[in-house]
Amino acid sequence: MNPVSFPEFLEHQGGLGIPPFLSGLAHVELSRHKAITAENAPLGINSFSLNPTLHITPVRWKNLAPLFVRAKKRDIDKVVPGNETIIIWCLPDNGKLMIRATEPGDLLAIKLLAEDIDPLDAACEAGVPVGIIDAVMREAIWKGLVLSPPSMLCREQDITGPSPREDLIAAEVFSLQWHLTQECDLHCRHCYDRSSRRAFPFERALTLLDELRAFCRSRFIRGQVSLSGGNPLLYPQFLDLYRAAAERDFMIAILGNASDRATIEKLVDIRMPVYYQVSLEGLEQHNDEIRGAGNYRRTVDFLRTLTEMGVPNMVMLTLTRHNLGQVIPLAEKLEGITGGLTFNRLALFGEGASLELPTPDEYREFLEAYASALDSHPVLTLKDSLLNTIFERDNSGLFGGCAGYGCGAAFNFVSILSDGEVHACRKFPSPIGNILINSLEDVYASKAAARYRSGSDACSGCSLNAVCRGCPAVTASLGLDPFTDKDPYCFRHRIS
């Protein structure tokens, strides 16, 4: 008998011991066979496409799919009359066969691709934000129903040096570190910029979000907006901008100061932030000398509130010569209160120029202690790229460095100031354009941005280049050229 006609044959059969849903099972089994024997997706796809192994099978019975992964009597008893659509496909990365009833969004994602419908048009027709449609497609890609080309946000490889791992040259997320306003309720002694700048114009903010969506969509990556300041919560239209970012399906982070529970509840009602980052500069006395009286207790109480509410949170510390010895003790205080504590080295710009960096030897000693404390202090997290020098020596496994790809300045993030200036990194003057004049695409494609992406010539050929590149902000703040000089704190040539 022809297998294709067998399910129809079963439609007309019956009798003692023959379940009425047997023909439905046969329809699914036929689709299962077609999925297994289908050709895999061609290599090098350059647009979103349906998984070629995908088969859609309408049946007149509910709860048939579980019978293909288990067949206990209780599962058979759950099979009841009713229309259901079952999808069968093989995962693109490992070929594993998947069979299950469709979930909300599956058929929409399939329809968008099958009929070549633009998500903006679909969103307009449905009267919903385009982010809802983008999220449906993202979920379908995650499930393997839809195939996506690899990220096109890639480093230019240094052909003179060793070839880095693929996951270190292609970024999956692009972030705008967006300083919405200079207004701030603190006056920290190490602030990089207390200059007077106007708040970012709200109407341009909305069009910039659309540009970011197009930028990320064309490169097959996700977008993130990291809202900062000043204190971003003091931006007059902060909630409106937060909602607009959520409506475009961006991940949203907040880099700000302690706030009140009611404000955080409003944010969570719109969308849970991927994290809320606050700063502490050491133990209470030292922190309050830098950030103002009462700041330490206010910030720790706020962290407890965030953790209680289930909001991911972390603490950033600006490392100076005077708080080196306070990082590990601070980690002990913060255990169980926050999700992470990490640090950036001070860059000697703005009011921070009046503070003092540790000596290279003091810094190396600190990093050794920090690396040793990681196992016993789970709250400590990794950021400073030079930690990889120690991990390389100890064969303990490298991590992605400062931005996941070493220094990510003008690669997987840019910093936008409230008056529109765009910098490769906020920690030092690194102008690459003005977003009030130029588009995001033009800024990213500029020669200035490309030069910052390439890093220092002194690091060319280093086997840690993909996960390090030092810190150009620290290099520049010490009067050196970040394009030609190596981070003066790099001790790789001296480590043993």
Side-chain angles (χ1 to χ4, degrees):
M1 180 175 290
N2 186 333
V4 175
S5 63
F6 186 58
E8 293 300 325
F9 168 78
L10 290 176
E11 289 278 1
H12 308 291
Q13 305 306 310
L16 187 64
I18 304 297
F21 54 79
L22 191 61
S23 62
L25 279 180
H27 278 290
V28 178
E29 176 63 29
L30 181 62
S31 295
R32 176 182 181 275
H33 172 73
K34 291 178 179 179
I36 292 173
T37 57
E39 291 187 10
N40 291 326
L43 298 176
I45 60 173
N46 56 16
S47 62
F48 296 122
S49 61
L50 288 175
N51 187 327
T53 68
L54 175 66
H55 284 77
I56 305 171
T57 305
V59 291
R60 294 195 292 272
W61 297 88
K62 291 185 177 182
N63 304 321
L64 287 179
L67 301 187
F68 286 85
V69 292
R70 58 184 185 267
K72 300 186 182 299
K73 186 177 185 305
R74 65 173 178 268
D75 298 310
I76 296 175
D77 290 343
K78 292 178 182 177
V79 177
V80 295
N83 293 326
E84 191 167 71
T85 301
I86 294 178
I87 47 176
I88 303 99
W89 75 104
C90 295
L91 295 179
D93 53 349
N94 58 20
K96 180 180 178 182
L97 183 72
M98 307 294 291
I99 301 178
R100 69 180 180 204
T102 54
E103 296 176 341
D106 291 343
L107 294 179
L108 174 58
I110 294 169
K111 178 182 175 68
L112 291 176
L113 281 180
E115 300 181 12
D116 194 23
I117 300 173
D118 189 294
L120 285 170
D121 293 337
C124 182
E125 182 177 345
V128 298
V130 70
I132 291 179
I133 308 299
D134 287 344
V136 166
M137 187 62 68
R138 178 166 48 83
E139 180 76 6
I141 293 170
W142 178 80
K143 291 177 179 177
L145 303 175
V146 172
L147 305 182
S148 172
S151 165
M152 294 181 64
L153 190 69
C154 300
R155 289 255 192 223
E156 293 183 10
Q157 296 192 50
D158 178 6
I159 60 173
T160 65
S163 178
R165 300 196 322 255
E166 285 296 320
D167 62 329
L168 298 176
I169 62 172
E172 301 298 326
V173 176
F174 180 80
S175 299
L176 295 184
Q177 189 187 70
W178 199 347
H179 298 260
L180 299 173
T181 178
Q182 289 289 88
E183 294 297 319
C184 190
D185 46 333
L186 302 178
H187 192 143
C188 303
R189 289 177 56 195
H190 63 311
C191 185
Y192 298 123
D193 185 2
R194 294 291 297 180
S195 62
S196 177
R197 300 175 188 263
R198 59 175 177 165
F200 198 92
F202 180 67
E203 291 304 317
R204 176 61 182 123
L206 297 180
T207 60
L208 179 54
L209 290 175
D210 292 332
E211 287 180 20
L212 177 61
R213 178 182 176 272
F215 179 96
C216 295
R217 184 173 171 80
S218 68
R219 290 163 175 81
F220 306 104
I221 56 176
R222 284 209 73 186
Q224 175 172 312
V225 288
S226 298
L227 303 176
S228 186
N231 182 351
L233 297 181
L234 298 179
Y235 181 66
Q237 295 94 5
F238 180 78
L239 282 178
D240 294 330
L241 181 57
Y242 191 95
R243 182 177 291 103
E247 288 175 347
R248 290 159 176 82
D249 193 37
F250 294 128
M251 297 182 290
I252 311 173
I254 301 174
L255 318 179
N257 302 332
S259 185
D260 59 278
R261 188 184 188 98
T263 297
I264 305 306
E265 288 174 346
K266 292 177 182 178
L267 300 180
V268 172
D269 284 344
I270 297 171
R271 165 166 284 195
M272 178 69 75
V274 291
Y275 63 84
Y276 195 120
Q277 177 183 297
V278 295
S279 295
L280 288 171
E281 310 308 333
L283 299 175
E284 184 171 1
Q285 180 178 345
H286 179 78
N287 176 82
D288 288 1
E289 288 175 358
I290 298 293
R291 303 186 69 83
N295 174 266
Y296 179 90
R297 295 191 180 188
R298 191 162 54 248
T299 301
V300 170
D301 287 344
F302 179 61
L303 289 169
R304 287 194 178 97
T305 297
L306 291 176
T307 299
E308 178 187 320
M309 295 176 66
V311 178
N313 59 86
M314 60 178 296
V315 174
M316 178 64 67
L317 176 144
T318 300
L319 194 70
T320 70
R321 190 176 192 183
H322 303 289
N323 63 5
L324 279 177
Q326 299 186 37
V327 177
I328 306 303
L330 179 61
E332 294 171 353
K333 297 278 189 183
L334 295 178
E335 204 72 60
I337 295 175
T338 184
L341 166 65
T342 191
F343 66 90
N344 270 322
R345 278 177 282 158
L346 171 73
L348 300 170
F349 290 105
E351 296 183 2
S354 63
L355 302 179
E356 190 177 3
L357 277 165
T359 67
D361 286 340
E362 289 170 337
Y363 174 66
R364 174 181 172 179
E365 183 179 340
F366 164 76
L367 282 192
E368 295 276 8
Y370 192 93
S372 297
L374 289 171
D375 288 340
S376 56
H377 295 78
V379 75
L380 292 177
T381 55
L382 301 174
K383 185 169 178 64
D384 194 295
S385 299
L386 291 184
L387 279 163
N388 276 317
T389 301
I390 296 173
F391 298 157
E392 178 192 41
R393 178 200 65 191
D394 296 342
N395 294 315
S396 55
L398 304 179
F399 79 108
C402 180
Y405 307 88
C407 173
F411 169 54
N412 63 331
F413 75 87
V414 296
S415 295
I416 297 178
L417 307 192
S418 63
D419 62 356
E421 282 186 16
V422 186
H423 290 251
C425 173
R426 182 65 183 101
K427 290 174 59 182
F428 75 117
S430 47
I432 57 176
N434 191 303
I435 207 66
L436 300 186
I437 301 171
N438 312 116
S439 70
L440 179 60
E441 284 283 358
D442 288 343
V443 169
Y444 193 83
S446 68
K447 291 182 179 179
R451 188 65 187 94
Y452 282 105
R453 275 196 292 277
S454 66
S456 173
D457 297 339
C459 297
S460 179
C462 175
S463 62
L464 293 181
N465 198 15
V467 293
C468 184
R469 300 170 175 248
C471 180
V474 172
T475 303
S477 78
L478 292 171
L480 302 174
D481 187 339
F483 299 132
T484 59
D485 294 319
K486 184 168 61 173
D487 185 330
Y489 285 82
C490 176
F491 49 85
R492 185 167 182 266
H493 63 292
R494 296 188 291 119
I495 197 167
S496 61

